[in-house]
Amino acid sequence: MSSRLINWFKFSSPASFYPLARKISVVSTVIAVVLIVIGLYMSFFVAPTDYKQGEGYRIIFVHVPASWMSMFIYVVMAGWAALGLVFNTRLSAMMAQALAPTGAMFAFISLWTGSFWGKPMWGTWWVWDARITSELILLFLYLGYMALRAAIDDPRRGDRASGILLLVGVVNVPIIYYSVKWWNTLHQGSTIKMNNQTTMDETMLITMLIMTLGFWAYAIAVAMARVRTVILERERSSTWVRGLTAAEI
Amino acid sequence: MFKPLFWVIRRDLTIAMRRRSDVFTTLIFFVIVVSLFPLGIGPEPNTLRQIAPGIVWVGALLASMLALEQIFSADHRDGTLEQMLLTPQPVSVLVVGKVLAHWLVSGVPLVVMAPILGLQYDLSVDVQLILVASLLLGTPALSLIGAIGAALTLGLRSGGVLLALLVLPLYIPVLIFGAGAVEATASGLGGQAHLSMLAAILVGSMVLAPLATAAALRVAED
């Protein structure tokens, strides 16, 4: 019975995960390049011009997938942190660590492109809209996690401390989102609605999905490449890493 | 379960009373920060009345954040904290006791001082009452949430700045509802809903924050 089950814990060992990560990284790099090239071509040349916002709306094809990814990656990191705290596996914390810079980058891209989009559409670089504000706070949470990680020298303590921080953060994200939302409606009433186009052209939707999948593949590729370096750095005194470097030299 | 709780509270209060200057530093910081804003913005009473809730609240938030480091650091340095973790009592109860004592020492003075600062901003009596009520509900929540950050950064090199980076984003809901309650009362809408939300945050953080703090302390003392 047990022989038929896949032994998931086999790959929780950094040594056996290291070669697998390389394979996943290569495959998803290829997928990411293909999808993003197709997605960018479609977003610039295939998707129709928006009747209200003109050509400027095309920034949506980067902006929305980046926002989705920034939120999704935080939840994934919290999931890895929970796994790491429960099973005490080193690799889980390494995965969370490897994902953090990518998530922070997506949050930043989301804010940056949003700002570029807001200037021609709303006439301002920044609005204290609920979603923009919570995206900014999400970026702060990423930065806090990375700062805590970097401040702790002992890697095992860093794993667990930053894991607790991630879990605290993920509990707080919905609370922060709703409080910001209510704060905004109480303050000024939403004069600008970001979702005024409820019906979307099908080509636009497909383009956005392709871009999202491309960003997914990118995030996986980069996280796997980064986790490989994290593994090498952390396990540098183990025999298998020494064997690896000796073989390369 | 209540015996160790009261023991921790009494012990921490005794220590705080023998080092009274720490209490006053936090309080004076609060007064100075809140008094700086009119100097930067200008003495126009209408503007001041409008921004008062936010400024008093941000001042209280920063002051209570600065006081956070003291919750665990002295006990961590002389090893008392390690001994506390070794006792058979649940760590989260000890954490609740320490946070409560900390709030009595650093939070309550802020609440008492707030109406006097409100006078500087020409707030009316009923707005002042809501200000005190919101601070009374909000500052313990700040201490509870902040304790997680204090435990996580225990004994780290750049503890103070890092603590601010970790804790301030988590403070945002408390700030929104706290300042919102005062503002809603001032504009005649009534601050009931905001106060209820603050109370909900307080209850929620009272349940969850000590668990996270206890876990973080175990990591730090390992």
Side-chain angles (χ1 to χ4, degrees):
Chain A
M1 185 65 202
S2 62
S3 63
R4 270 200 280 159
L5 293 170
I6 302 168
N7 185 10
W8 293 103
F9 282 100
K10 184 191 166 203
F11 290 112
S12 70
S13 144
S16 56
F17 186 69
Y18 183 78
L20 179 70
R22 185 187 149 79
K23 281 178 204 146
I24 299 175
S25 177
V26 170
V27 171
S28 26
T29 308
V30 173
I31 297 175
V33 169
V34 170
L35 284 179
I36 290 176
V37 166
I38 295 174
L40 282 178
Y41 176 79
M42 282 181 76
S43 44
F44 279 115
F45 303 109
V46 180
T49 310
D50 189 75
Y51 78 102
K52 223 188 227 163
Q53 306 195 359
E55 302 291 348
Y57 90 96
R58 290 183 196 277
I59 211 162
I60 199 177
F61 297 122
V62 175
H63 176 73
V64 173
S67 317
W68 282 345
M69 287 312 292
S70 67
M71 287 177 252
F72 181 67
I73 287 178
Y74 196 82
V75 176
V76 172
M77 279 166 63
W80 280 117
L83 270 182
L85 288 172
V86 172
F87 294 113
N88 209 14
T89 45
R90 276 168 304 164
L91 191 63
S92 313
M94 292 181 194
M95 283 300 295
Q97 183 184 353
L99 280 166
T102 312
M105 185 203 75
F106 276 127
F108 180 73
I109 287 181
S110 156
L111 287 170
W112 196 15
T113 53
S115 184
F116 273 174
W117 193 9
K119 187 63 186 167
M121 298 306 153
W122 305 335
T124 166
W125 294 107
W126 185 263
V127 187
W128 286 97
D129 171 85
R131 293 200 220 180
I132 303 175
T133 315
S134 21
E135 188 71 41
L136 181 69
I137 297 166
L138 185 64
L139 178 61
F140 291 158
L141 289 176
Y142 273 119
L143 296 179
Y145 167 82
M146 280 152 64
L148 181 65
R149 218 13 303 171
I152 302 178
D153 292 329
D154 172 22
R156 290 304 284 150
R157 187 188 162 186
D159 283 351
R160 285 189 287 156
S162 52
I164 293 171
L165 181 70
L166 275 176
L167 291 183
V168 171
V170 88
V171 169
N172 267 284
V173 162
I175 301 173
I176 292 173
Y177 176 71
Y178 280 105
S179 62
V180 171
K181 201 171 165 183
W182 289 332
W183 160 75
N184 187 267
T185 47
L186 287 169
H187 263 242
Q188 51 188 30
S190 43
T191 45
I192 301 145
K193 284 216 170 59
M194 285 174 84
N195 50 352
N196 50 2
Q197 43 183 124
T198 41
T199 50
M200 212 174 176
D201 188 90
E202 213 166 280
T203 358
M204 291 186 193
L205 197 67
I206 291 170
T207 313
M208 203 139 90
L209 281 177
I210 291 174
M211 285 300 279
T212 309
L213 290 176
F215 279 19
W216 263 59
Y218 165 81
I220 293 172
V222 173
M224 287 299 163
R226 202 176 283 122
V227 85
R228 276 164 58 87
T229 62
V230 173
I231 290 174
L232 281 188
E233 194 185 342
R234 292 257 214 112
E235 309 274 304
R236 60 182 176 273
S237 48
S238 70
T239 32
W240 72 269
V241 173
R242 287 182 180 214
L244 212 65
T245 43
E248 271 169 27
I249 294 164
Chain B
M1 192 172 129
F2 285 102
K3 220 169 131 195
L5 181 71
F6 291 129
W7 175 81
V8 170
I9 294 175
R10 212 177 60 211
R11 171 183 174 275
D12 277 22
L13 286 181
T14 316
I15 292 175
M17 280 308 115
R18 300 210 173 134
R19 258 191 260 143
R20 263 179 232 125
S21 64
D22 285 4
V23 181
F24 286 108
T25 328
T26 311
L27 191 60
I28 293 166
F29 173 82
F30 178 48
V31 175
I32 291 178
V33 164
V34 174
S35 310
L36 278 181
F37 279 86
L39 298 175
I41 289 164
E44 176 58 41
N46 278 328
T47 323
L48 288 185
R49 217 175 292 132
Q50 227 175 0
I51 59 172
I55 286 172
V56 175
W57 253 97
V58 171
L61 192 146
L62 291 178
S64 81
M65 188 201 78
L66 281 182
L68 280 177
E69 253 192 311
Q70 302 162 9
I71 301 187
F72 301 117
S73 62
D75 286 348
H76 174 66
R77 238 177 289 128
D78 65 12
T80 319
L81 197 61
E82 205 173 356
Q83 298 302 318
M84 280 184 179
L85 294 187
L86 290 175
T87 59
Q89 319 296 344
V91 180
S92 44
V93 170
L94 299 177
V95 167
V96 171
K98 284 193 79 64
V99 173
L100 210 61
H102 178 77
W103 175 71
L104 288 172
V105 170
S106 70
V108 173
L110 303 182
V111 179
V112 174
M113 197 47 132
I116 300 168
L117 295 173
L119 287 178
Q120 286 188 325
Y121 287 82
D122 193 28
L123 292 179
S124 64
V125 176
D126 46 336
V127 176
Q128 295 266 29
L129 279 176
I130 297 292
L131 178 64
V132 171
S134 70
L135 283 170
L136 214 49
L137 286 171
T139 44
L142 293 182
S143 295
L144 283 163
I145 299 168
I148 305 173
L152 285 173
T153 56
L154 206 54
L156 298 184
R157 272 166 287 126
S158 52
V161 190
L162 187 61
L163 180 60
L165 193 60
L166 300 187
V167 157
L168 287 181
L170 303 177
Y171 274 179
I172 288 168
V174 181
L175 171 67
I176 286 175
F177 292 117
V182 186
E183 209 162 313
T185 317
S187 61
L189 287 168
Q192 291 293 333
H194 288 92
L195 289 182
S196 306
M197 284 306 297
L198 265 186
I201 291 177
L202 175 59
V203 171
S205 53
M206 216 171 332
V207 175
L208 296 175
L211 296 176
T213 313
L217 283 179
R218 285 223 180 80
V219 171
E221 291 290 338
D222 205 15

